């Protein structure tokens, strides 16, 4: 048995070693011999047996700090190692599983202003194998700042974005349409003022998980992650708003008409884009997303995210739809 990769190991005294720095699992071992200290310090690469006694190994295993030896190292570029190590450490599978799940994933990002660009580059940089890009509008000067450069101004957003992705993540498959026959694992849309209900309906009907990201005048909304089977969806949000404000459907129609360009302050794009990318990776990694039945609200100027719960609306019916694995939700 060895220590899990990615753990920091520190010699904190003559007979003492600390394993890990994250308080969720860090532990300090006391009363060790010099040989045992050396064994723990090299424990991510070499076996801890026979240096450490069995009760200590059992306790380390109980804390989730040990891994079985692997026959060969999972091949991956160095640039992916931090993401894969940290994801495996927080319990979303071993290194190989994390790497392979991400490489097999396809994510569509629609709306490629500052926020969409940040989401797409973050996902490609984190090892998502295919990132599809959907935005035929031209790059504006106001889109520069989270990856695009002034030289991209005037080019199609999806073309400029694809070029950027291939630069930051060589090997990523990208394009405006799926040429590889994979249904998206998640579809992210970034839009100004409101999420398009018709687009949401199309995605839900197709059984595709949809993460709407909306930039309003000085805040951003991320989620709810809308999937058949609930717990709730973007339509539930709009129906609840209409319950409180009878004029809301009319306002929503006005907000969704015409070609809308979001105002995206860089810091808001960075935080909202990072949160949205993290949500996509939770889905890809098989974890429970924070925006299942909830929505991040990120207001300027603090950009401190708040989570708002949205219950399933009785008129929506999304919660009663079969889930993507064919089961009906509880
Ligand atoms: Zn719903």
């Amino acid at each position: 048995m060895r220590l899990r990769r990615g753990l920091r190991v520190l010699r904190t005294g003559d007979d003492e070693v600390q394993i890990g720095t994250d308080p969720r699992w860090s532990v300090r071992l006391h009363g060790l011999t010099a040989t045992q200290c050396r064994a723990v310090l090299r424990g991510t690469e070499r076996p801890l047996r026979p240096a450490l006694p069995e009760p200590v190994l059992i306790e380390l295993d109980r804390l989730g700090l040990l891994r079985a030896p692997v026959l060969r190292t999972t091949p991956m570029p160095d640039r992916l190692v931090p993401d894969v190590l940290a994801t495996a450490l927080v319990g979303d599978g071993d290194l190989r599983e994390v790497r392979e799940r991400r490489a097999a994933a396809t994510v569509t990002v629609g709306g490629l202003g500052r926020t969409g660009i940040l989401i797409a580059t973050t996902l490609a940089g984190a090892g998502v194998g295919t990132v599809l890009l959907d935005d035929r509008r031209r790059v504006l000067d106001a889109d520069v700042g989270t990856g695009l450069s002034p030289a991209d101004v005037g080019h199609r957003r999806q073309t400029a974005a694809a070029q950027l992705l291939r630069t930051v993540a060589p090997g990523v498959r990208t394009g405006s349409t799926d040429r590889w026959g994979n249904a998206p694992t998640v579809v992210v849309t970034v839009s100004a003022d409101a999420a398009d209900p018709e687009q949401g309906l199309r995605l839900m009907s197709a059984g595709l998980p949809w993460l709407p990201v909306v930039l309003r005048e000085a805040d951003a909304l991320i989620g709810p992650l809308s999937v058949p089977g609930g717990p709730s969806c973007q339509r539930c949000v709009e129906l609840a708003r209409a319950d409180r404000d009878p004029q809301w459907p009319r306002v929503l129609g006005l907000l969704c008409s015409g070609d809308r360009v979001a105002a995206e302050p860089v810091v808001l794009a960075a935080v909202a884009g990072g949160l949205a990318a993290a949500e996509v990776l939770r889905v890809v990694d098989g974890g429970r997303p924070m925006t299942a039945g909830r929505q991040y609200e990120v207001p300027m100027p603090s950009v401190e995210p708040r989570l708002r719960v949205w219950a399933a609306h009785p008129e929506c019916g999304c919660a009663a739809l079969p889930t993507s694995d064919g089961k009906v939700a509880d």
Side-chain angles (χ1 to χ4, degrees), residues 321-329:
L321 290 171
T323 57
S324 55
D325 56 11
K327 296 174 186 163
V328 174

Side-chain angles (χ1 to χ4, degrees), residues 110-306:
L112 296 165
R114 284 174 167 168
T115 309
I117 286 289
L118 197 129
I119 294 168
T121 51
T122 303
L123 294 174
V128 170
T130 306
V131 181
L132 301 177
L133 303 159
D134 181 16
D135 193 338
R136 298 176 63 80
R137 290 171 293 182
R138 305 277 174 182
V139 176
L140 304 173
D141 198 40
D143 298 329
V144 174
T146 58
L148 295 180
S149 75
D152 295 313
V153 173
H155 296 279
R156 274 201 201 286
R157 279 176 165 186
Q158 60 193 35
T159 309
Q163 196 171 2
L164 176 64
L165 256 57
R166 286 191 287 268
T167 304
V168 300
V172 68
R173 297 197 296 190
T174 186
S176 56
T177 54
D178 177 31
R179 288 173 281 140
W180 303 278
N182 303 318
T185 316
V186 187
V187 175
V188 184
T189 59
V190 184
S191 52
D193 304 323
D196 182 353
E198 289 181 13
Q199 186 176 25
L201 206 57
R202 282 197 300 274
L203 293 169
M204 288 287 275
S205 302
L208 295 174
W210 173 40
L211 183 68
V213 178
V214 172
L215 280 301
R216 299 193 295 196
E217 287 150 343
D219 74 355
L221 305 172
I222 299 123
L225 180 72
S226 301
V227 291
S232 66
C233 73
Q234 182 65 32
R235 184 160 179 260
C236 293
V237 173
E238 308 301 2
L239 287 166
R241 284 176 174 150
D243 287 345
R244 289 198 297 269
D245 174 9
Q247 280 286 70
W248 176 248
R250 179 173 163 74
V251 173
L252 181 61
L254 291 170
L255 292 176
C256 291
S257 61
D259 188 22
R260 301 164 292 144
V261 177
E264 303 177 69
V266 171
V267 72
L268 190 59
V271 175
L275 287 170
E279 287 298 282
V280 172
L281 292 174
R282 292 299 291 155
V283 176
V284 170
D285 293 332
R288 182 171 173 78
M290 298 296 289
T291 56
R294 301 189 290 187
Q295 184 182 52
Y296 278 120
E297 297 177 336
V298 185
M300 294 278 286
S302 72
V303 294
E304 181 184 5
R306 296 187 295 239

Side-chain angles (χ1 to χ4, degrees), residues 1-13 16-30 32 36-44 48 52 56-57 59-61 63-67 89:
M1 301 295 278
R2 303 172 193 211
L3 292 173
R4 298 185 72 170
R5 288 205 183 93
L7 289 170
R8 294 272 191 275
V9 187
L10 309 165
R11 181 120 186 209
T12 46
E16 189 182 275
V17 174
Q18 178 173 323
I19 303 170
T21 56
D22 189 315
R24 286 176 290 181
W25 52 70
S26 65
V27 65
R28 210 167 279 160
L29 302 180
H30 310 270
L32 302 176
Q36 289 172 331
C37 283
R38 281 196 298 275
V40 178
L41 287 167
R42 296 180 306 205
T44 56
L48 295 165
L52 290 192
V56 175
L57 290 171
E59 182 62 10
L60 292 176
D61 194 32
L63 293 169
L65 297 174
L66 299 186
R67 65 180 170 91
L89 266 179

